[in-house]
Amino acid sequence: QVQLAESGGGLVQAGGSLRLSCAASGRAFSSRQMGWFRQATGKERQFVACITKTSSTKYEDTARGRFTISRDDAANRVYLQMNNLTPEDTAVYYCAATEIFSTNSFKTNHGEYNYWGQGTQVTVSS
């Protein structure tokens, strides 16, 4: 079992930055691929970024170049640094983890993740 807890969301003006953090409890954090997803009101949950067990990264097109995902296996944490935010980034952001025996291929579908946090709200004002 893995428990995930996101933090770092809030209200920011367009062009600003936020750093989301996800703290994981449970075993074998370093053996899991981690992902960030977001869900805006009335929309489906959307892939934002993922980081593999070997720290390779993949981003959704609108996040590439503005967002950076990273992980600290010693601290059991994954981060999402978000820069140059726009109102279109407003959503609840969720951290997700795979099972430890998942392959190392990039996982961009929410169905490929087994554990989820409760989410943290990010609101970007224009």
Side-chain angles (χ1 to χ4, degrees):
Q1 274 293 71
V2 175
Q3 288 78 45
L4 303 172
E6 303 94 340
S7 61
L11 173 63
V12 64
Q13 289 188 332
S17 299
L18 283 173
R19 188 192 194 207
L20 305 184
S21 178
C22 173
S25 61
R27 66 187 187 97
F29 174 81
S30 63
S31 297
R32 303 179 189 274
Q33 183 165 151
M34 302 298 296
W36 285 97
F37 288 74
R38 64 186 178 188
Q39 189 165 17
T41 303
K43 295 189 177 181
E44 294 186 353
R45 193 164 296 191
Q46 175 190 30
F47 168 75
V48 176
C50 64
I51 185 165
T52 69
K53 293 175 280 189
T54 54
S55 294
S56 296
T57 59
K58 185 177 179 66
Y59 298 91
E60 186 267 339
D61 287 346
T62 63
R64 189 177 302 113
R66 300 187 300 129
F67 295 3
T68 302
I69 188 171
S70 60
R71 65 190 299 159
D72 182 344
D73 289 342
N76 281 12
R77 285 184 177 266
V78 63
Y79 304 97
L80 186 68
Q81 176 68 43
M82 304 187 295
N83 298 327
N84 194 21
L85 286 160
T86 74
E88 289 70 36
D89 296 315
T90 295
V92 177
Y93 283 70
Y94 297 91
C95 171
T98 66
E99 290 290 7
I100 60 176
F101 298 115
S102 64
T103 67
N104 208 36
S105 59
F106 290 122
K107 292 169 176 54
T108 62
N109 188 303
H110 61 80
E112 298 178 288
Y113 291 83
N114 303 91
Y115 304 99
W116 293 85
Q118 293 300 306
T120 185
Q121 176 70 47
V122 171
T123 302
V124 184
S125 63
S126 58

